[in-house]
């Protein structure tokens, strides 16, 4: 079971149909994702994932842009 790392998102892999993406391995891209998520309480690890609901058209290459606060 995987839970989306985005605050306020309750998507969990075993009950949702969305995909879950690992944070990028490159530090620069990882920082971009982490900044867009706006979580001051934690830093992402290689095990954290973000669900496709936060990516335009559900595609990883479109980057994280879809959040309740945007």
């Amino acid at each position: 079971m995987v839970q989306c790392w985005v605050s306020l998102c309750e998507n969990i892999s075993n009950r949702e149909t969305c995909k879950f993406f690992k944070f990028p391995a490159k530090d620069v891209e990882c920082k971009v994702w982490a900044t867009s998520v706006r979580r001051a309480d934690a830093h992402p690890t290689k095990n954290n994932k973000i669900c496709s609901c936060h990516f335009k058209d559900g595609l990883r290459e479109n980057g994280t842009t879809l959040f309740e606060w945007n």
Side-chain angles (χ1 to χ4, degrees):
M1 178 178 75
V2 176
Q3 183 171 356
C4 184
W5 195 71
V6 175
S7 298
L8 306 176
C9 183
E10 298 179 359
N11 290 341
I12 298 174
S13 61
N14 65 350
R15 71 167 195 227
E16 308 298 335
T17 58
C18 56
K19 296 177 183 178
F20 286 79
F21 303 120
K22 291 182 181 181
F23 272 79
K26 294 181 181 179
D27 285 340
V28 174
E29 290 179 59
C30 184
K31 287 179 184 178
V32 169
W33 282 28
T35 300
S36 66
V37 172
R38 298 183 187 177
R39 282 196 61 174
D41 65 326
H43 297 286
T45 68
K46 64 179 182 176
N47 297 321
N48 295 124
K49 297 181 180 181
I50 297 178
C51 71
S52 60
C53 297
H54 302 290
F55 296 80
K56 185 178 178 187
D57 300 324
L59 300 173
R60 178 188 176 101
E61 56 269 12
N62 290 336
T64 55
T65 58
L66 306 176
F67 304 101
E68 288 185 27
W69 51 86
N70 289 353

